[in-house]
């Protein structure tokens, strides 16, 4: 498994948990990315450490997806919107702070379990991981749940129920 790329294979259960679960996104903000130059890549030792952590998530059956991102200095752009129109601004962005370096999507029993997994990420000093719960179909009122299922289909509704 590559350290920054994991996808659940078709037909493979996304998790092994039987009871009610919640999905969380863990978003990594590596300090190196704020000043990285075009073409920057993480060092191999850091990739190995992250790969071991990612394998733990996979073996525990909680990992749904993950990926690493290049820093803003490498092929980045921002698309902004105003008055119904979009505008593209190419990077790098000199004012970039708290730059996203990657993410994990996990499915666990509780917020506490998500925070436990986040605390085990092999981060460096002053790095940060933000943990955010993903919407569940039950977050919406019953009428809206029916509309979501009607408009977007059973597959989307079923995925949102996790």
């Amino acid at each position: 498994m590559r350290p920054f790329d994991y996808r659940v294979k078709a037909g493979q259960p996304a998790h092994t948990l039987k009871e009610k679960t919640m999905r969380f996104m863990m978003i990594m903000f590596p300090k190196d990315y704020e000043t990285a130059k075009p073409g920057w890549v993480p060092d191999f030792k850091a990739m190995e450490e992250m790969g071991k952590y990612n394998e733990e998530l996979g073996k525990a059956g909680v990992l749904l997806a993950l990926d690493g991102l290049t820093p803003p200095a490498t092929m980045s752009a921002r698309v902004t919107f105003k008055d119904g129109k979009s505008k593209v601004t190419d990077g790098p962005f000199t004012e970039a702070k708290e730059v996203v370096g990657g993410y994990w999507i996990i499915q666990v029993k509780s917020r506490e379990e998500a925070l436990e997994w986040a605390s085990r990420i092999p981060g460096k000093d002053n790095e940060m991981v933000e943990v955010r719960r993903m919407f569940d179909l039950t977050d919406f009122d019953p009428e809206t749940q029916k509309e979501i299922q009607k408009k977007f289909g059973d597959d989307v509704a079923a995925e949102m129920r996790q």
Side-chain angles (χ1 to χ4, degrees):
M1 173 189 325
R2 296 182 351 209
F4 298 113
D5 187 20
Y6 181 90
R7 300 216 176 22
V8 176
K9 295 177 182 149
Q12 174 184 344
H15 58 87
T16 57
L17 304 173
K18 301 288 184 209
E19 60 276 356
K20 177 74 174 142
T21 58
M22 297 176 251
R23 293 176 298 158
F24 287 86
M25 178 177 272
M26 301 185 300
I27 307 160
M28 182 71 165
F29 296 89
K31 281 293 186 187
D32 304 8
Y33 277 39
E34 293 174 11
T35 57
K37 303 289 183 225
W40 179 92
V41 295
D43 70 62
F44 189 72
K45 184 177 180 192
M47 289 176 59
E48 283 183 315
E49 289 176 19
M50 196 62 74
K52 288 177 187 173
Y53 171 76
N54 295 340
E55 284 182 31
E56 288 178 36
L57 287 169
K59 286 177 184 174
V62 299
L63 184 61
L64 298 179
L66 67 82
D67 231 324
L69 304 170
T70 60
T74 305
M75 296 181 63
S76 64
R78 289 183 178 163
V79 180
T80 55
F81 303 91
K82 185 175 181 180
D83 299 324
K85 296 185 181 188
S86 62
K87 176 184 172 187
V88 176
T89 306
D90 289 325
F93 309 106
T94 55
E95 75 284 357
K97 299 241 186 307
E98 296 185 352
V99 177
V100 175
Y103 69 90
W104 298 261
I105 298 176
I106 60 173
Q107 190 159 12
V108 293
K109 299 175 199 169
S110 66
R111 176 180 181 269
E112 291 73 24
E113 185 179 359
L115 293 173
E116 160 62 27
W117 279 109
S119 70
R120 295 170 58 188
I121 292 170
K124 298 177 190 168
D125 286 351
N126 298 314
E127 288 186 333
M128 174 179 66
V129 174
E130 184 174 326
V131 179
R132 295 178 59 184
R133 186 171 128 335
M134 299 175 78
F135 275 115
D136 186 274
L137 191 63
T138 60
D139 291 327
F140 299 94
D141 63 77
E143 189 60 36
T144 303
Q145 290 180 36
K146 290 176 191 171
E147 286 300 313
I148 289 170
Q149 188 159 3
K150 181 179 173 183
K151 183 162 188 143
F152 301 109
D154 292 339
D155 290 343
V156 170
E159 186 171 321
M160 285 184 72
R161 277 191 198 97
Q162 300 181 30

